[in-house]
């Protein structure tokens, strides 16, 4: 049974704008799934169906094999946590500690459990020192971490991140990458994220969906997707610099193995050019 599945999902805004057109999507356990596409491709609209913020115009959204209903919406939102692109939409309490406690409190948990969860996620996200600060005084990167902490405190099985690198500096992006890579193995979570930083996809994702005009136009492993450089170009998406460079070298008959991650690329270049000083 899949954690999340959509079947022929469509969504129309104001009865005129087709935001999603027959989307079939699957998320299993302990996966890292990237959804890429230009602005307006439908990524955020799709995410809002995963925990019942939006209802399908037609088609199905299944969580643990069951459709979302009024009777199970609380459990669905406990299971699927979403962090939106604009952290200001989610960070609003007088202090960081209160903000992170908001979700667990709404789940009806006892005070001791709430305190334990808040303490743990503040430590995980390295924002313990901010717990007494007003969220509106935080930097963009700090707000992002607090927003993620608030969702993690509800202990979801799926963490959905909508453009998580928006507003982050390079160190913030690196910290986020390291954090996301730990979630499946350390905490058993599935992570679904959208991003315009395609080089981030190579470092994080196991599987990739490509969206355009409200539809899934390609899906596969990182290698499957980034080997389709013409498709990505046609969709106004960048190809990550590593496979782009290696492809150019291979086109010039350089004997070098294709790579997509930085660590793998280092090995490929050392193997191909290691004798050069």
């Amino acid at each position: 049974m899949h954690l999340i599945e959509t079947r022929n999902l469509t969504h129309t805004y104001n009865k005129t704008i087709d935001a999603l057109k027959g989307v079939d999507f699957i998320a299993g356990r302990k996966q890292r799934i990237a959804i890429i596409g230009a602005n307006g491709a439908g990524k955020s609209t799709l995410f809002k169906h995963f925990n019942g913020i939006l209802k399908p115009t037609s088609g199905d959204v299944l969580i643990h094999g069951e459709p979302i209903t009024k009777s199970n919406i609380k459990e669905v939102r406990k299971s699927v946590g979403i962090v939106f692109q604009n952290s200001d939409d989610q960070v609003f309490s007088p202090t960081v500690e209160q903000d992170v406690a908001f979700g667990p409190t709404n789940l009806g948990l006892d005070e001791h459990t709430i305190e334990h969860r808040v303490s743990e996620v503040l430590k995980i996200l390295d924002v313990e020192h901010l717990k007494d600060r007003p969220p509106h005084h935080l930097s963009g990167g700090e707000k992002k971490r607090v927003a993620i902490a608030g969702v993690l405190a509800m202990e979801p099985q799926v963490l959905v991140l909508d453009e998580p690198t928006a507003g982050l500096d390079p160190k913030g992006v690196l910290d986020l990458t390291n954090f996301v890579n730990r979630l499946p193995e350390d905490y058993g979570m599935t992570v679904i994220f959208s991003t315009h930083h395609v080089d981030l996809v190579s470092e994080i994702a196991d599987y990739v969906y490509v969206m355009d005009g409200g539809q899934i136009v390609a899906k596969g492993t990182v290698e499957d997707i980034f080997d389709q450089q013409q498709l990505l170009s046609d969709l106004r998406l960048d190809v990550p610099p590593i496979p782009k460079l290696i492809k150019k070298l291979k086109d010039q008959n350089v004997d070098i193995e294709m790579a997509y991650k930085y660590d793998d690329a280092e090995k490929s270049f050392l193997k191909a050019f290691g004798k050069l000083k």
Side-chain angles (χ1 to χ4, degrees), residues 29-254:
R29 297 183 184 277
K30 298 172 65 172
Q31 282 190 293
R32 298 172 301 168
I33 300 172
I35 301 181
I36 61 174
N39 288 334
K43 304 184 297 295
S44 296
T45 300
L46 177 60
F47 285 171
K48 290 176 182 177
H49 284 79
F50 290 165
N51 72 351
I53 296 174
L54 292 178
K55 295 181 180 180
T57 302
S58 64
D60 300 297
V61 179
L62 305 176
I63 308 298
H64 299 290
E66 298 292 332
I68 301 174
T69 64
K70 288 183 179 179
S71 62
N72 70 8
I73 188 67
K74 188 172 181 178
E75 285 301 311
V76 166
R77 290 178 177 170
K78 179 181 176 181
S79 179
V80 181
I82 300 179
V83 179
F84 296 104
Q85 181 174 348
N86 186 355
S87 300
D88 288 328
D89 293 339
Q90 289 180 269
V91 180
F92 48 77
S93 297
T95 70
V96 165
E97 188 173 39
Q98 289 172 303
D99 203 277
V100 175
F102 180 82
T105 301
N106 279 352
L107 293 177
L109 301 177
D110 63 84
E111 186 174 341
H112 175 74
T113 301
I114 293 170
E115 289 179 358
H116 175 73
R117 288 194 184 187
V118 170
S119 175
E120 284 298 303
V121 297
L122 289 176
K123 185 183 301 182
I124 291 170
L125 272 300
D126 193 26
V127 289
E128 292 174 287
H129 61 293
L130 302 175
K131 68 177 185 177
D132 297 321
R133 294 268 300 276
H136 61 275
H137 287 171
L138 304 180
S139 69
E142 290 170 338
K143 286 181 182 178
K144 183 78 69 176
R145 282 186 284 168
V146 170
I148 294 173
V151 172
L152 287 185
M154 293 187 285
E155 296 189 351
Q157 290 181 287
V158 182
L159 178 64
V160 180
L161 302 170
D162 192 1
E163 295 290 349
T165 58
L168 297 185
D169 59 22
K171 184 180 184 304
V173 173
L174 179 60
D175 289 344
L176 179 75
T177 300
N178 293 334
F179 168 71
V180 169
N181 279 331
R182 290 169 48 203
L183 291 177
E185 290 305 318
D186 290 0
Y187 302 98
M189 286 187 191
T190 288
V191 183
I192 304 170
F193 68 97
S194 65
T195 183
H196 285 99
H197 291 199
V198 289
D199 51 335
L200 188 69
V201 174
S202 300
E203 298 297 321
I204 296 179
D206 305 308
Y207 202 80
V208 184
Y209 286 85
V210 183
M211 293 192 71
D212 182 58
Q215 297 176 299
I216 302 292
V217 296
K219 60 184 178 180
T221 65
V222 170
E223 293 82 357
D224 293 335
I225 297 303
F226 291 137
D227 280 347
Q228 301 181 63
Q229 297 192 10
Q230 186 58 54
L231 170 66
L232 297 178
S233 177
D234 292 343
L235 297 177
R236 307 183 306 283
L237 295 172
D238 289 332
V239 175
I242 288 174
K244 182 189 289 187
L245 173 59
I246 292 178
K247 183 177 185 303
K248 288 185 177 180
L249 291 173
K250 291 174 75 71
D251 288 344
Q252 297 177 50
N253 297 317
V254 175

